[in-house]
Amino acid sequence: LNQSIKTGTVEQTSVLLRGELSEFPFDKQEGIFEVHTKLSKTSLDYTQGWPALSDMTADLLFRNRALYI
């Protein structure tokens, strides 16, 4: 994902961390880690064989090991 987002503007970001860091990434539900980011004017080129997206607005939610767009 680090190399997939080519351009864009971060409009807002929030972070929630609840639990002991030694238990991260909280696979047994012993805590929660969330990063919620609103992006605009974003270009995404995920991987070969997938179509590139441009000028998109998106909400990204990282929750423990999962990513939701």
Side-chain angles (χ1 to χ4, degrees):
L1 192 59
N2 287 347
Q3 298 172 357
S4 299
I5 298 174
K6 302 298 182 184
T7 61
T9 302
V10 175
E11 300 292 339
Q12 182 180 4
T13 299
S14 62
V15 177
L16 171 65
L17 174 61
R18 190 173 298 145
E20 296 293 325
L21 287 177
S22 63
E23 302 292 329
F24 183 79
F26 308 128
D27 290 330
K28 297 176 184 172
Q29 310 303 320
E30 58 273 57
I32 188 164
F33 171 73
E34 285 188 358
V35 177
H36 182 220
T37 300
K38 293 179 180 265
L39 302 173
S40 65
K41 300 177 186 161
T42 301
S43 297
L44 178 71
D45 191 3
Y46 182 63
T47 190
Q48 186 176 4
W50 285 54
L53 303 172
S54 61
D55 197 30
M56 69 177 205
T57 300
D59 286 348
L60 300 181
L61 175 61
F62 297 90
R63 180 177 290 146
N64 296 341
R65 289 188 187 259
L67 167 63
Y68 304 91
I69 300 176

